[in-house]
Amino acid sequence: MFQIQIITIPILPFGMVNAHLIRSEAGCVLIDTGIPGSELKIGKVLAEHRLTFRDIKLIVVTHAHTDHAGSAARVRALSGAPILAHQNDADFYSRKEPMTYCTTSWVGKLFLKTPVPHEPYEGFAPDIMMTNGHTVNLLDFGVDGVVRHTGGHTPGSIAVELSSDDMMVGDLIASGILIGGMIRKGRAIRPPFEDNPATVSRELIRMVESGGKRFHMGHGGPLEVREVLRHAQALAKLESNPCVSGECEHLHH
Ligand SMILES: [Zn+2]
Ligand SMILES: [Zn+2]
């Protein structure tokens, strides 16, 4: 088993947007790439750990929102590492389809009024395309863990489940309240956008039952298992409101 270190890469301050680097002696896996233009911030964190882009063996993009996929094409060019992502978000990665945003609250509606989600990113074709039911083992990239399809947040959302019991869940869950910075980071909330809360709840409970202890996310966090379970159980009680076309905001670039 490889010893790993999880390095949080602050894309925006206060945990508002994070990417993560999983470092092991056999290589590094980058999880998410931030908004467009984040490669300098990623490079800075690599340098702080005496690493370079060339140490990245794999780029995992958890889903097609611009704050996660935004710099994927650039980081691939700098590192030479393949991009792993799920087919169900492929048309968004290629920019063939505009991304959909199912708002969960006023925060999401407010966020859609900012330039961030509208900022188009450089389209790309993932080098390793996951399909439904497929699991990818990360041992080939020096990390003890698997990548699994979860859906729920977007159709092609994926999560990295590490043998260290750390779960890298992208935007399946978020934490904190934004008032000029993040407060209450230990408190789980729904992310501003979510396709299907019932699926999110089921996937989070599955990860808790399979031994997940710490949950690392794109916004806020990390969260302890007890808080994740509380949130997942509350989500399960929500009126199931899967995103159906017409109810979601489609962004056109
Ligand atoms: Zn998202
Ligand atoms: Zn996000």
Side-chain angles (χ1 to χ4, degrees):
M1 186 171 163
F2 296 112
Q3 283 294 332
I4 57 135
Q5 179 189 8
I6 296 170
I7 298 167
T8 301
I9 302 175
I11 301 292
L12 292 179
F14 309 114
M16 287 190 282
V17 178
N18 310 310
H20 293 92
L21 188 71
I22 303 169
R23 179 191 195 177
S24 89
E25 57 262 53
C28 291
V29 172
L30 179 69
I31 300 177
D32 287 330
T33 62
I35 54 177
S38 297
E39 60 273 12
L40 286 179
K41 283 175 185 157
I42 295 168
K44 194 171 151 254
V45 172
L46 286 167
E48 282 166 10
H49 291 83
R50 298 189 183 171
L51 297 164
T52 71
F53 280 103
R54 288 275 151 191
D55 291 305
I56 299 174
K57 301 291 176 239
L58 179 71
I59 303 158
V60 175
V61 179
T62 60
H63 64 288
H65 285 153
T66 190
D67 48 325
H68 300 258
S71 299
R74 282 297 298 149
V75 174
R76 175 167 65 184
L78 290 164
S79 64
I83 295 174
L84 181 152
H86 196 279
Q87 190 170 38
N88 293 2
D89 274 5
D91 285 349
F92 307 126
Y93 294 127
S94 65
R95 316 298 307 170
K96 212 166 110 193
E97 291 279 336
M99 193 65 233
T100 53
Y101 289 89
C102 288
T103 53
T104 55
S105 68
W106 61 271
V107 179
K109 292 189 171 67
L110 197 69
F111 184 69
L112 285 179
K113 293 196 183 0
T114 74
V116 176
H118 303 269
E119 202 175 335
Y121 58 84
E122 193 183 328
F124 59 89
D127 305 281
I128 305 170
M129 189 81 94
M130 286 181 72
T131 51
N132 286 342
H134 281 170
T135 301
V136 172
N137 196 324
L138 291 179
L139 272 182
D140 291 345
F141 304 96
V143 167
D144 216 342
V146 295
V147 189
R148 248 187 264 278
H149 178 224
T150 63
H153 177 63
T154 63
S157 286
I158 54 178
V160 177
E161 303 175 18
L162 298 171
S163 305
S164 60
D165 297 338
D166 289 280
M167 304 284 129
M168 319 300 294
V169 297
D171 283 359
L172 277 193
I173 190 167
S175 82
I177 300 170
L178 193 69
I179 305 169
M182 274 285 205
I183 60 163
R184 299 183 75 190
K185 276 191 210 175
R187 174 89 178 167
I189 54 167
R190 298 172 76 190
F193 314 104
E194 187 171 81
D195 277 8
N196 190 335
T199 306
V200 171
S201 171
R202 190 192 67 218
E203 288 296 318
L204 288 173
I205 288 171
R206 180 186 60 71
M207 281 187 245
V208 169
E209 285 175 349
S210 72
K213 296 273 187 296
R214 290 160 300 277
F215 289 67
H216 304 260
M217 308 99 74
H219 309 284
L223 284 174
E224 293 299 326
V225 61
R226 189 191 300 241
E227 179 63 6
V228 172
L229 193 58
R230 183 197 64 76
H231 178 76
Q233 285 165 345
L235 268 188
K237 292 195 194 101
L238 276 183
E239 188 96 358
S240 188
N241 181 28
C243 205
V244 286
S245 53
E247 283 183 11
C248 291
E249 309 237 11
H250 295 256
L251 298 181
H252 296 271
H253 299 293

